[in-house]
Amino acid sequence: MQTSPQSSTTSPAATPEEFRAALGQLASGVTLVTAHDPEDEEDAGMTATSFLSVSLEPPLVLVSVREDSRMDELLTRTDRWAVSLLGETHRAVASRFAMKGRLSDRLLFADTPHHRGPHTGAPLIDGALATVECRTVQRIPAGDHVLLLGHVLAAEVTAPGARPLLYHRGSYRHLA
Ligand SMILES: Cc1cc2nc3c(=O)[nH]c(=O)nc-3n(C[C@H](O)[C@H](O)[C@H](O)COP(=O)(O)O)c2cc1C
C-alpha cells in the first residue's frame, strides 16, 4: 500500500514526548553534514544522527535535514555535500554544531580543524573515522524535514581504528 510521507490526518500519532523517548533508546553514530556554497564562499555544518547507507550499487546514502535549518537553505543552492563520521574526540565539535542560535558557521569552522573535499569543496573534519562526499539525486519532503538522497562520489576511511562518538538517550557516549 502506498502512503504519503506527509502522513495522514486520520491515523493516530505518537506525541512528540513519546516519539523522542522511544526513538532516543536507539544508539546511533554521530556525523557532521557539511556543504560549501561556491558563489558566496559560505560553509554550513550540522550535527546529524539520521545518516544511513541506502544502496551499494549505485552507492547511495540518506540524511534527514530540518526544513527551515541553515543547512537545508544551503542545500537548495548546491547539490554537493559531505558527511564526516565523528570519533570520540569530536564531542565538542558535535555539540557546537548542534546548537541552535549558535555562532556563525564561519567562526565554528575557523575553530574546527578541517580540509576541503576534492569532489564537493565541503569541509571534511580532520580525524573523522571516515568521510563521504555526495551529490543530491533526490529531495524527498518528509514532515518538517527533507530527506536528501545522495549519490556517493567518494568514500574513505580516514582514521582506521579510531573509536566512534555515539548518541544514546539524549547524551553523547563512548564505547566502553
Ligand atoms: C545528536 C544530535 C543529532 C542530530 N541529528 C539531526 C538530524 O539528523 N537532522 C537534523 O535536521 N537535525 C539534527 N540535529 C539538530 C541539528 O544539529 C541542529 O538543529 C542544527 O545544527 C541547528 O541548525 P540551525 O541553527 O541552522 O537551525 C541533531 C542534533 C543532535 C544534538
Side-chain angles (χ1 to χ4, degrees):
M1 184 178 64
Q2 260 210 322
T3 54
S4 154
Q6 297 303 320
S7 184
S8 144
T9 50
T10 54
S11 347
T15 65
E17 294 72 28
E18 290 166 341
F19 183 92
R20 278 204 199 95
L23 277 295
Q25 304 302 311
L26 181 67
S28 335
V30 182
T31 71
L32 194 73
V33 179
T34 56
H36 174 75
D37 182 347
E39 266 190 21
D40 58 8
E41 292 295 315
E42 199 188 341
D43 292 320
M46 183 192 83
T47 302
T49 49
S50 61
F51 176 70
L52 74 143
S53 67
V54 172
S55 159
L56 194 56
E57 290 183 20
L60 296 172
V61 292
L62 186 92
V63 68
S64 174
V65 178
R66 190 166 50 80
E67 222 179 3
D68 58 354
S69 61
R70 270 184 38 72
M71 177 55 65
D72 181 45
E73 195 260 321
L74 200 152
L75 290 173
T76 58
R77 286 184 272 135
T78 177
D79 65 353
R80 305 284 159 138
W81 44 284
V83 184
S84 296
L85 278 55
L86 299 181
E88 62 181 21
T89 59
H90 294 120
R91 190 181 181 133
V93 174
S95 56
R96 294 177 80 208
F97 277 94
M99 268 189 278
K100 292 261 277 163
R102 59 186 194 228
L103 291 167
S104 74
D105 287 86
R106 194 180 293 273
L107 289 175
L108 286 177
F109 280 114
D111 257 11
T112 307
H114 65 277
H115 53 286
R116 300 241 162 234
H119 301 274
T120 56
L124 303 177
I125 305 308
D126 290 355
L129 308 182
T131 58
V132 179
E133 290 190 89
C134 305
R135 179 178 58 77
T136 304
V137 290
Q138 210 177 335
R139 282 176 64 91
I140 306 156
D144 53 10
H145 281 55
V146 55
L147 306 179
L148 285 170
L149 190 63
H151 172 84
V152 177
L153 304 164
E156 196 182 343
V157 178
T158 38
R163 294 156 66 90
L165 181 62
L166 304 175
Y167 196 73
H168 184 225
R169 295 189 188 139
S171 300
Y172 294 103
R173 303 191 190 261
H174 298 168
L175 287 178

